[in-house]
Amino acid sequence: MSGDFDALLVLSFGGPERPEDVMPFLENVTRGRGVPRERLEEVARHYLHFGGVSPINELNRDIIAAVEGELAATGLEMPVYFGNRNWHPMVADTVARMAADGVRSALVFPTSAWGGYSGCLQYHEDIARARAAFGDGAPELVKLRQYFDHPLFVEAVTDAIREALERIPPHRRAEARLVFTAHSIPVAADIAAGPPDGGGRLYSRQVADAARLCADAAGFADFDVVWQSRSGPPQVPWLEPDIVDHLENLSGKGVEAVVVCPVGFVSDHLEVIWDLDNEAQAKAAELGMSFARTATAGADPRFARLVVELIGEHLEDGAPRRLGSVPGYGCTRDGAPCVVGCCAVRRPAASS
C-alpha cells in the first residue's frame, strides 16, 4: 500500500498527567464494559502512587522527537502529530487539527507492535471514529503494519537483555532465567485474534515469536513467556501464568536470578512500572531472587529508525524487513479491519 503522504500520526493509548485526570481517564478506558467503581478506585491508587501521572504521554513525546530527528536526518519533510484513544491529546481532536493544517493523507504509527483486538483492531476503530467525528474532508489515514519481528525492534530488545543481565550479581549470572512478559488478554480474545482462516491466537503466537528471536540473539537457549496486568472478573479465563505467580514457581525449582523483559510493551508506562518494578520486584526480593528488568524498546535510538523504515515501506514501496515466522498484518486504510471478521471478539482487556 504505497502512495504520497503529508504527515505521520503517532496513535497511542493515553494516560493521565495530573491526579485529577486519573478517574476521568479510567472511565474513558472502561466505558461500556461494566467495570465496578471499586475496581476503578483500586487501579486509580496505582496511578496516585506515582503522583497521578502516567509516564506514557511523555515517553511518546520522546519517541516523536526522536522520529522527527530521524526524519530530518533522512531528508523527509513530514510533520508528526500525536493522538490518543483515552486521554488528551484525543485522536479526534488531532485529526481535526491535521485537517485544518491541510493534511490530506497521513500514515499512522500505533504504539503497539502486535495483532489482536487490543493490539491492532482497536487502533483501526480509533482511526475510523476520529475520521467520522470530523466528517467530510477528513484526512486519509493509513495504519502502519505490525512490527513485533522487525530487526531493529529485536536488536533493541536484545541489547536491553544483555544490559540487564550485567546487573545480576556475577555469581548468579550464568544461571539467570530469562522471562518475557506481555499484557494478558482474555483467552477467548486470543483465540479470535487474527483473520478467521488464520488459526487464531495471533497475539500470543507473535509474542512467543518475538521472545524467541530476542532470546536467540541474546544467547539464551531457553526462556519463558508469561503475562501481566490482567483485569476483569476472576471467572473469565485470561492468558497465564502471571509474572508474580511464575516467580514463585521458578523459586520453587531453585532459580535464584531472573532477567525480566517486558517485550510486549513499547514504553515503560504505568503497567510496566507497577507490575514489574513494584509487585514483581518485591516478590523476587521476598523469595531471595536476584531481579533485573530490561529497558523497553521505545527509548532506544533504533526505535525511531524502525518507525522511519516503516514509513519508507510506503513512500518507496519497499519490502518489509521481518525476522519472524508468525504472520503479521495491520496495514489498512481509514480504519478498515485487515480482513472481514479479523479479531472478531470485542472489548477485551484495555492495553496499550
Side-chain angles (χ1 to χ4, degrees):
M1 191 181 293
S2 59
D4 295 325
F5 298 93
D6 306 318
L8 175 71
L9 168 60
V10 173
L11 178 56
S12 194
F13 186 78
E17 298 188 86
R18 304 176 302 170
E20 55 266 39
D21 296 341
V22 172
M23 284 304 293
F25 160 75
L26 292 175
E27 288 166 355
N28 283 346
V29 172
T30 59
R31 184 167 288 116
R33 303 188 188 188
V35 178
R37 181 75 180 184
E38 56 268 25
R39 173 58 182 162
L40 296 187
E41 291 171 350
E42 178 187 347
V43 176
R45 286 192 288 272
H46 298 175
Y47 284 89
L48 294 172
H49 179 82
F50 297 101
V53 179
S54 168
I56 188 170
N57 274 2
E58 191 59 36
L59 292 168
N60 282 329
R61 293 185 189 107
D62 291 343
I63 288 172
I64 288 168
V67 170
E68 289 172 334
E70 192 68 27
L71 286 168
T74 55
L76 287 174
E77 295 184 5
M78 179 178 284
V80 183
Y81 293 83
F82 178 27
N84 286 321
R85 176 185 306 150
N86 296 301
W87 201 246
H88 306 287
M90 301 297 284
V91 64
D93 297 333
T94 300
V95 168
R97 181 161 64 90
M98 293 167 69
D101 290 346
V103 174
R104 296 168 301 169
S105 183
L107 293 166
V108 182
F109 175 77
T111 57
S112 166
W114 313 99
Y117 177 74
S118 296
C120 185
L121 180 57
Q122 199 168 12
Y123 287 93
H124 298 315
E125 294 178 351
D126 296 336
I127 290 167
R129 186 174 60 251
R131 296 187 75 253
F134 185 82
D136 292 343
E140 176 188 61
L141 299 175
V142 175
K143 180 179 169 290
L144 296 168
R145 67 176 175 87
Q146 297 153 12
Y147 50 90
F148 65 95
D149 61 351
H150 193 287
L152 293 174
F153 182 79
V154 173
E155 287 175 20
V157 174
T158 298
D159 283 350
I161 292 169
R162 292 177 177 137
E163 188 278 331
L165 184 62
E166 292 299 309
R167 289 186 272 115
I168 296 292
H171 68 285
R172 290 181 168 178
R173 202 169 291 161
E175 302 301 321
R177 186 73 179 175
L178 177 58
V179 179
F180 292 93
T181 72
H183 201 300
S184 185
I185 63 172
V187 170
D190 190 47
I191 291 171
D197 59 352
R201 298 192 182 272
L202 182 67
Y203 172 63
S204 61
R205 288 190 292 133
Q206 287 178 342
V207 170
D209 205 34
R212 176 188 62 82
L213 291 167
C214 297
D216 287 350
F220 282 81
D222 202 8
F223 61 91
D224 302 318
V225 175
V226 304
W227 308 94
Q228 63 174 91
S229 311
R230 74 151 288 164
S231 59
Q235 66 269 24
V236 176
W238 285 53
L239 296 177
E240 295 178 335
D242 177 78
I243 175 62
V244 173
D245 296 337
H246 188 64
L247 292 179
E248 289 188 336
N249 183 51
L250 289 177
S251 179
K253 295 178 179 178
V255 174
E256 296 182 333
V258 290
V259 172
V260 176
C261 175
V263 69
F265 298 82
V266 162
S267 298
D268 286 11
H269 54 75
L270 190 127
E271 287 173 310
V272 174
I273 295 171
W274 180 264
D275 294 341
L276 300 185
D277 298 352
N278 186 7
E279 292 187 337
Q281 187 163 345
K283 174 57 68 173
E286 174 190 320
L287 297 169
M289 183 181 289
S290 298
F291 179 99
R293 198 265 289 178
T294 73
T296 43
D300 189 287
R302 284 167 289 200
F303 194 77
R305 287 168 46 203
L306 180 159
V307 177
V308 173
E309 279 202 18
L310 295 179
I311 293 170
E313 290 179 11
H314 292 266
L315 298 182
E316 303 164 11
D317 203 18
R321 289 212 295 151
R322 300 189 61 225
L323 297 175
S325 58
V326 175
Y329 304 94
C331 180
T332 72
R333 192 182 304 273
D334 293 340
C338 298
V339 296
V340 174
C342 190
C343 304
V345 170
R346 301 296 191 266
R347 299 283 185 202
S351 68
S352 51

